[in-house]
Amino acid sequence: MPRILIAVTHLLGSGHLVRARHLARALAGAGHEVTLASGGMPLAARQDEPFAFVQLPPVKVEGVDFRNLLDETGQPIDSDRRTTRQAMLSGLAMSLRPDVVVTEHFPFGRRQLVGEFMGLIAAAKAANPQVLVLSSIRDVLVAPRTERIAEAEQRIASHFDGVLVHGDAAFLPLEASWPVSPDLAGRLHYTGYLAEPSLRAQRSNPGGVEQDAGLLRCACNDEEAEIIVSGGGSAAALPLFELCLAAAGLLGPARGWRILVGRGVSEAAFAGLRDSAPAHVTVEWARPDFPALLAGCALSISQAGYNTVLDLVAAGRPAIVVPFDAGNETEQAIRAQAMERAGLARCLRLDGETQLTPFFMAQAVESALRNAPVPGVTIDRSGGEAVCGIVARLLDKRR
């Protein structure tokens, strides 16, 4: 039974860890012995996971300052924490002697953690010289300066056997966000988007919802369906939540709204949202039945993170996406624009050429409810199945 070790550190929100868990479940379901090591803030764990899980001493960031790593109390991490994290990862590699090591996002990102990722690879190769080393990335990357692009490609060429791209090249190729050289192109393996199969199954009948050709259609009374507002797991969606509260006040109580707040938002900020909400707007913490709520909504308003977009595509409901683009973050904007081109959502920008005011958002909501876009493409969401075949082929080739 091949042994696989996946290393991930999520810093802002939880998307990287969620995707790594989907990858671990898919590979474990194919008969691999999988261990997932996470170095970001802990998330609630399921009790029935088919893989082993190891939590490193966590690190996080505040806002979009990815240079300064903080501990769980918000203090800058010290050298002891770095040393402990690196020792734990290297120790895992030496004890497990994995056949495959997967580094999530590295070396395309996480430069501030280069020591522990490179130490992991070195330890894995010392324990098993035939180990297959793969990078695992989402569909869109944030391209850094030219010299750092060259640095990432040099590490891929020297230390990695391939790159798993969890996206659909026909919908959004990696070239849209990262300059792909001929050498890198030869190492890319598109898997399709990576969603958990069990979640797709749960969406099949979430109370009055029918499934047709892989997409869900709402069979409920649209006059009673809510507008669902979501923003992932971090506090980055607070401006969007505040904007939607104001827009809901302008539109009045004819339709209910539900704002789902991620656990990265402070208790004080959550209370502020709840206290300022009109009577027809429910503000609550994010719920595990989010896909079912989404499948039955009249309209979704959200950011454009990887996992949120997968939920939107699966639900097949009218959608407005407002990408998070503070600092140098371009990932969500690129994905949101691709969704608009494909007829999957309308893309609005908080800081675009036309300022996104509550009145403008209220108009956009009314328009979306009247004239839902017609999807022009389908998106490959079979990443869990495809990645198992890719890993099996690469292992066979290595042998």
Side-chain angles (χ1 to χ4, degrees), residues 167-182:
D168 182 344
F171 169 67
L172 187 53
L174 189 62
E175 287 87 345
S177 59
W178 186 278
V180 177
S181 68

Side-chain angles (χ1 to χ4, degrees), residues 42 51 60 73 93 126 170 178 212 232 235 257 272 289 329 332 352 361 380 390:
F51 56 86
K60 65 177 183 178
T73 68
W178 186 278
D212 181 28
W257 293 55
D289 62 344
E329 292 295 305
Q332 291 199 11
M361 174 60 86
D380 182 359
I390 292 168

Side-chain angles (χ1 to χ4, degrees), residues 191-346:
T191 68
Y193 282 85
L194 196 60
E196 185 182 4
S198 62
L199 286 181
R200 293 204 300 270
Q202 288 172 19
R203 298 185 185 113
S204 61
N205 188 26
V209 176
E210 301 170 346
Q211 187 162 8
D212 181 28
L215 296 178
L216 294 171
R217 302 178 303 180
C218 182
C220 59
N221 183 341
D222 276 349
E223 295 301 319
E224 298 176 358
E226 294 179 317
I227 295 170
I228 299 292
V229 183
S230 61
S234 76
L238 273 173
L240 176 61
F241 294 153
E242 292 164 353
L243 179 71
C244 287
L245 283 175
L250 291 175
L251 289 172
R255 185 181 297 275
W257 293 55
R258 186 175 301 273
I259 296 180
L260 301 173
V261 182
R263 291 289 175 174
V265 173
S266 69
E267 294 278 355
F270 175 82
L273 293 171
R274 185 186 54 204
D275 294 344
S276 62
H280 63 290
V281 179
T282 300
V283 177
E284 61 181 344
W285 292 112
R287 295 164 42 168
D289 62 344
F290 172 67
L293 290 174
L294 197 63
C297 76
L299 173 69
S300 166
I301 303 173
S302 70
Q303 295 183 317
Y306 183 97
N307 296 296
T308 298
V309 167
L310 286 180
D311 285 324
L312 290 177
V313 172
R317 302 301 299 144
I320 294 172
V321 287
V322 184
F324 171 70
D325 54 7
N328 295 320
E329 292 295 305
T330 57
E331 171 223 340
Q332 291 199 11
I334 291 172
R335 188 180 296 112
Q337 289 160 1
M339 292 187 70
E340 185 168 68
R341 288 194 301 271
L344 296 169
R346 181 178 180 186

Side-chain angles (χ1 to χ4, degrees), residues 68-105:
N68 297 308
L69 299 179
L70 310 175
D71 63 19
E72 57 269 41
T73 68
Q75 298 301 309
I77 64 170
D78 56 21
S79 58
D80 287 345
R81 180 160 296 215
R82 286 187 179 274
T83 300
T84 299
R85 287 168 58 94
Q86 183 166 336
M88 288 180 67
L89 280 176
S90 297
L92 274 174
M94 295 299 292
S95 63
L96 295 173
R97 299 183 68 251
D99 300 287
V100 183
V101 164
V102 181
T103 61
E104 205 281 334
H105 201 43

Side-chain angles (χ1 to χ4, degrees), residues 87-159:
M88 288 180 67
L89 280 176
S90 297
L92 274 174
M94 295 299 292
S95 63
L96 295 173
R97 299 183 68 251
D99 300 287
V100 183
V101 164
V102 181
T103 61
E104 205 281 334
H105 201 43
F106 183 81
F108 297 91
R110 300 293 182 263
R111 292 182 70 257
Q112 64 276 65
L113 298 173
V114 60
E116 63 186 49
F117 280 114
M118 293 305 297
L120 165 64
I121 293 170
K125 290 185 175 181
N128 177 9
Q130 296 302 310
V131 66
L132 187 72
V133 181
L134 302 173
S135 174
S136 168
I137 59 175
R138 64 193 176 205
D139 56 342
V140 181
L141 296 171
V142 177
R145 296 191 297 268
T146 302
E147 64 271 19
R148 294 186 177 175
I149 294 172
E151 177 185 74
E153 291 216 21
Q154 188 277 327
R155 286 185 174 135
I156 289 290
S158 302
H159 302 286

Side-chain angles (χ1 to χ4, degrees), residues 8 22 52-53 56 58 79 90 98 136 160 179 182 191 201 226 269 313-314 323 335 340 345 357 359 371 399:
V8 57
H22 292 344
F53 182 83
L56 306 180
S79 58
S90 297
S136 168
F160 288 77
T191 68
E226 294 179 317
V313 172
R335 188 180 296 112
E340 185 168 68
T357 63
F359 179 74
N371 308 298
R399 296 190 186 101

